Amino acid sequence: MLEEVERWLNARSWSAADRPVQHLLSAKHATGQSVSVVLPALDEEATVGDIVAAIRRELVLRHPLVDEIVVVDSGSSDRTAEVAAAAGARVVHRDAILPRIPAVPGKGEVLWRSLLVTGGDIVCFVDADLREFSADFVSGIVGPLLTDPDVHLVKAMYDRPLAGAAGQGGRVTELMARPLLNMHWPQLAGFVQPLGGEYAARRSLLERLPFPVGYGVELGMLVDALHLVGLDALAQVDVGVRVHRHQDGRALGRMAAAIYRTAQLRLARGHLVRPALTQFERGVDGFEPRTYAVDTEERPPMTEIAEYAARKVA
């Protein structure tokens, strides 16, 4: 590990308990910063309501740290929108945001569009499939941004159990993202959960970043933020344990391919073959190929979108 990264780990890695909520409220009052929490959601009826309710109860009503909770629904076929609204979130459908640009499927697409329907100086993203959720996830990663003006992006770090076994989750992180970062962006080798969906950042940074539309968004954001603001402006906070729904191996393969493509685009911006990933499933007559397109599209920095600029002027 680079000496620079070892120093960064000591200086920019914290625990959620290091900044009590009362301390954060004082910092919020002193700086006048506002906080938006965004949950991207697709068919998360079983979990989204509990997450929204916990944030609202602990960080809106009991401790007024969060100014708005927004769930961006990307086309759920279940009651995700109704459950989220009943729990206290403002629900916006992905396709209703910036309709002149047709939406494409993907988590990054939803996160990018969320900048147009939120107003916080600090934007906190939380996945909507978490179980046993604690509001410490939000206060923990928002804390450094409220208290340290030199910090621009904060990732949550946590244990990820799989089938009851500690540390066995995060398979794409260990098999794809971590090797890529260590080999090509070793300054980012200190991040415990580089692909984690819980992170917060200053709007002033997010609006300058391109957003890969799919699963590559977290890796792309880390790499691009490193180049824009430098390693010392990035941080991570330990929030304990993350319990969520796990995907099967084929889905993880597609995720890994999208992440690799995101890295590839950042390593070489020249001509690249349009990527696809072929996987195999056993059928009646043996193994059958299934080919999937890999997410390649990226949305431009929000500062280049006329509607966003007009909103800021207004």
Side-chain angles (χ1 to χ4, degrees):
M1 183 176 289
L2 298 175
E3 288 185 13
E4 178 185 7
V5 177
E6 291 182 356
R7 290 194 298 270
W8 176 84
L9 277 169
N10 290 325
R12 287 289 189 249
S13 296
W14 297 293
S15 166
D18 291 337
R19 293 175 174 83
V21 174
Q22 289 298 336
H23 179 52
L24 300 183
L25 289 172
S26 297
K28 176 180 168 69
H29 178 74
T31 60
Q33 297 176 94
S34 54
V35 178
S36 300
V37 176
V38 172
L39 285 78
L42 176 62
D43 294 331
E44 303 295 356
E45 173 186 348
T47 51
V48 68
D50 289 342
I51 298 171
V52 170
I55 298 171
R56 185 171 183 271
R57 181 179 63 251
E58 298 297 329
L59 301 179
V60 176
L61 300 178
R62 183 173 299 174
H63 305 290
L65 189 71
V66 169
D67 297 279
E68 61 177 348
I69 307 170
V70 179
V71 170
V72 182
D73 184 9
S74 54
S76 297
S77 59
D78 64 4
R79 297 180 62 254
T80 291
E82 294 88 338
V83 170
R90 175 162 59 93
V91 179
V92 185
H93 195 283
R94 175 200 62 198
D95 296 348
I97 307 170
L98 200 61
R100 73 171 176 87
I101 300 178
V104 297
K107 178 183 179 182
E109 177 83 355
V110 173
L111 301 184
W112 181 71
R113 289 176 186 263
S114 76
L115 297 181
L116 271 163
V117 293
T118 54
D121 303 304
I122 296 168
V123 182
C124 175
F125 298 120
V126 177
D127 281 350
D129 66 342
L130 303 186
R131 299 184 175 91
E132 302 175 22
F133 177 79
S134 167
D136 289 346
F137 271 64
V138 173
S139 58
I141 57 179
V142 166
L145 295 163
L146 287 170
T147 58
D148 189 337
D150 293 328
V151 175
H152 289 256
L153 184 149
V154 181
K155 296 280 293 190
M157 56 178 168
Y158 33 67
D159 296 314
R160 295 184 67 179
L162 177 64
Q168 296 303 305
R171 290 161 287 173
V172 175
T173 293
E174 300 304 332
L175 296 175
M176 176 60 70
R178 199 176 308 285
L180 280 172
L181 292 175
N182 275 264
M183 287 186 289
H184 297 295
W185 297 280
Q187 286 178 295
L188 298 174
F191 276 95
V192 175
Q193 297 292 352
L195 300 186
E198 289 69 49
Y199 49 99
R202 299 193 188 281
R203 178 176 294 272
S204 58
L205 171 62
L206 293 172
E207 66 187 10
R208 292 186 289 153
L209 295 175
F211 277 62
V213 299
Y215 286 121
V217 63
E218 274 84 23
L219 183 134
M221 190 175 294
L222 263 187
V223 170
D224 294 340
L226 174 67
H227 290 298
L228 269 178
V229 296
L231 181 60
D232 283 341
L234 313 180
Q236 58 186 350
V237 172
D238 188 348
V239 296
V241 178
R242 184 186 197 264
V243 181
H244 67 116
R245 182 184 66 250
H246 292 283
Q247 301 192 58
D248 63 32
R250 284 187 291 271
L252 295 178
R254 297 191 290 275
M255 184 186 301
I259 290 164
Y260 180 76
R261 172 62 169 176
T262 299
Q264 186 184 41
L265 287 171
R266 280 152 179 77
L267 288 168
R269 291 289 182 174
H271 175 72
L272 297 171
V273 176
R274 182 170 178 83
L277 175 72
T278 299
Q279 298 176 314
F280 293 88
E281 299 178 14
R282 184 182 291 279
V284 176
D285 299 318
F287 285 102
E288 301 173 355
R290 299 283 188 272
T291 300
Y292 302 88
V294 174
D295 294 323
T296 60
E297 189 170 356
E298 297 196 6
R299 295 305 192 188
M302 193 56 80
T303 52
E304 298 177 14
I305 301 298
E307 289 89 338
Y308 188 77
R311 191 195 74 156
K312 293 187 76 175
V313 170

